[in-house]
Amino acid sequence: MAAIVGLFTLLLLLPPSLVFSQCTRRPPVIFNFGDSNSDTGGLVAGLGFPILSPNGRTFFRRSTGRLSDGRLLIDFLCENLNTNMLNPYMDSLARSNFKNGANFAIVGSSTLPKYVPFSLNIQFMQFVHFKSRTLELLNTNAGYENLIDDDGFRNALYMIDIGQNDIADSLSKNLSYFQVVKQIPSVISEIQNAIKGLYGQGGRKFWIHNTGPLGCLPQKLSLFHMKDLDRYGCISSYNNLATLFNKALSHLCRELRYELKDASIVYIDIYTIKYDLVANSSLYGFSDPLMACCGAGGRPYNYDIRVTCGQPGYEVCNENSKFISWDGIHYTEEANKIVASKILSRAYSTPPLPFDFFCNN
């Protein structure tokens, strides 16, 4: 009997396969706003900031500006819809007509301060310009037929994945736990402004990610030698802050569903998915769940702020090894793939709509 229960538990933990969706009613259009967790090359394109190999080694075989060895979560979600990966809005050399949307996410972005590049507010302002200019060009009838039309903007999916840096930056400034807690409502307010702003631009379909367990990141464990570690070795107070932020974000989504009655607002529990990867790492085939694949210093965390991934002196794990953390902050392609499959299962979505709801409803 115990063996049967154990097998059932294992089956629950294993991620479902990446079943591909079909957009039958209209082509998928996605606009993404966020930070390094979903930046597909915006920092490199916008500021010329070098993101060197071995970033990108697994899938792309070169650095593409993504902070991972391969594909990000957003890449897997786009692949699920059989659409191209999103090009960065800032990339003038992408040779893209942005027919399937655009990615405004930039490494290091936060919600506050709101007028500092590339905050969420700035990303929203970039979108407003993008939409205005796109519709202007479309109305000239001068060979711009492949641009997104007004119907495309109205039926697009608007994804927001931001907030991690607001909490992390506050912690790096040595603010107390309660000082960080007091800042959370201001962060939530900026996300609310972005959603309402996009709604005012005609957006009606939203996909909102909460933040992951900050206390399980090798970077945080290496830099802040905290004693309040949980049973899996993560910093409890940092995870508690992430949880408080996520509760406030979930509450905001509930309020906006009531207020914006003709909008669909899906809240995704990224935290539970990512914490489960650490808590049950061996069942997913991961060893050293709190150790970076690419970094310096070796065990237990392989993170040194002076020698980060791609900088002189770094060390990197073998390409066939399985790690959750790529560089101490961001996830490996293997981990991102599992996170994507969990999201697509709908078990972590409120309401539990399929990812392709925006192009099929």
Side-chain angles (χ1 to χ4, degrees):
M1 182 67 180
I4 294 175
V5 173
L7 177 61
F8 180 72
T9 302
L10 177 60
L11 290 174
L12 287 176
L13 289 169
L14 291 176
S17 58
L18 285 169
V19 179
F20 286 94
S21 304
Q22 292 293 329
C23 288
T24 55
R25 292 194 61 183
R26 60 181 66 89
V29 176
I30 299 173
F31 295 104
N32 181 68
F33 307 84
D35 52 32
S36 57
N37 289 315
S38 57
D39 182 353
T40 53
L43 180 68
V44 175
L47 297 179
F49 189 90
I51 294 178
L52 307 174
S53 62
N55 289 288
R57 71 175 186 178
T58 298
F59 180 80
F60 301 100
R61 298 299 172 186
R62 63 180 182 85
S63 177
T64 62
R66 291 166 171 82
L67 289 175
S68 176
D69 59 328
R71 287 165 288 186
L72 306 180
L73 168 59
I74 191 171
D75 295 320
F76 285 111
L77 294 179
C78 285
E79 286 184 356
N80 175 260
L81 297 174
N82 196 30
T83 191
N84 293 332
M85 297 177 188
L86 293 184
N87 282 312
Y89 165 74
M90 301 291 290
D91 196 347
S92 60
L93 299 177
R95 293 186 299 172
S96 171
N97 54 20
F98 296 103
K99 187 176 182 180
N100 69 323
N103 192 0
F104 297 88
I106 300 282
V107 170
S109 295
S110 55
T111 67
L112 295 168
K114 67 184 299 178
Y115 290 107
V116 173
F118 290 94
S119 69
L120 179 59
N121 178 63
I122 294 294
Q123 292 180 31
F124 167 70
M125 292 168 65
Q126 289 176 323
F127 167 78
V128 172
H129 171 73
F130 175 86
K131 180 185 177 185
S132 174
R133 183 64 175 146
T134 297
L135 296 179
E136 177 185 333
L137 290 172
L138 196 63
N139 289 332
T140 63
N141 296 319
Y144 293 106
E145 296 83 2
N146 289 328
L147 294 177
I148 301 168
D149 59 16
D150 194 59
D151 185 67
F153 281 103
R154 184 170 53 255
N155 290 296
L157 183 66
Y158 293 87
M159 300 179 64
I160 296 179
D161 185 351
I162 204 165
Q164 177 173 317
N165 288 330
D166 288 278
I167 300 174
D169 290 349
S170 296
L171 294 170
S172 67
K173 295 174 182 175
N174 294 321
L175 295 183
S176 70
Y177 179 91
F178 294 104
Q179 285 175 317
V180 179
V181 170
K182 289 176 64 176
Q183 291 187 351
I184 289 176
S186 297
V187 176
I188 297 299
S189 179
E190 288 303 309
I191 295 175
Q192 176 180 331
N193 290 342
I195 295 173
K196 285 190 172 182
L198 292 168
Y199 181 88
Q201 290 289 318
R204 292 295 183 269
K205 298 165 184 178
F206 299 91
W207 191 267
I208 315 297
H209 289 182
N210 71 13
T211 199
L214 301 179
C216 299
L217 297 178
Q219 180 211 43
K220 298 294 180 287
L221 289 161
S222 174
L223 293 178
F224 305 99
H225 301 288
M226 310 293 286
K227 296 181 180 179
D228 63 324
L229 301 181
D230 66 14
R231 60 187 293 193
Y232 303 111
C234 303
I235 304 173
S236 297
S237 57
Y238 287 12
N239 282 351
N240 289 341
L241 288 170
T243 299
L244 288 173
F245 168 81
N246 291 339
K247 286 181 178 178
L249 183 62
S250 176
H251 180 72
L252 170 65
C253 290
R254 289 196 301 272
E255 285 188 331
L256 290 178
R257 287 188 204 107
Y258 179 80
E259 182 179 346
L260 311 177
K261 295 187 182 300
D262 60 337
S264 297
I265 302 172
V266 184
Y267 171 84
I268 311 298
D269 188 5
I270 297 292
Y271 182 98
T272 297
I273 298 173
K274 289 186 173 181
Y275 190 73
D276 179 60
L277 284 182
V278 173
N280 296 289
S281 57
S282 61
L283 295 178
Y284 293 106
F286 294 113
S287 58
D288 299 310
L290 303 179
M291 180 176 173
C293 166
C294 186
R299 284 184 168 81
Y301 307 124
N302 196 39
Y303 183 87
D304 187 333
I305 195 171
R306 300 164 298 181
V307 186
T308 54
C309 183
Q311 300 302 313
Y314 78 90
E315 303 169 358
V316 65
C317 63
N318 294 329
E319 196 165 337
N320 59 355
S321 57
K322 293 186 66 173
F323 280 73
I324 295 174
S325 178
W326 168 241
D327 58 6
I329 305 173
H330 309 95
Y331 281 45
T332 61
E333 174 173 290
E334 184 67 22
N336 284 327
K337 183 177 182 180
I338 294 174
V339 174
S341 66
K342 295 276 192 176
I343 288 174
L344 294 170
S345 75
R346 291 191 266 176
Y348 303 88
S349 304
T350 305
L353 296 178
F355 183 61
D356 60 1
F357 81 95
F358 70 99
C359 56
N360 284 330
N361 293 340

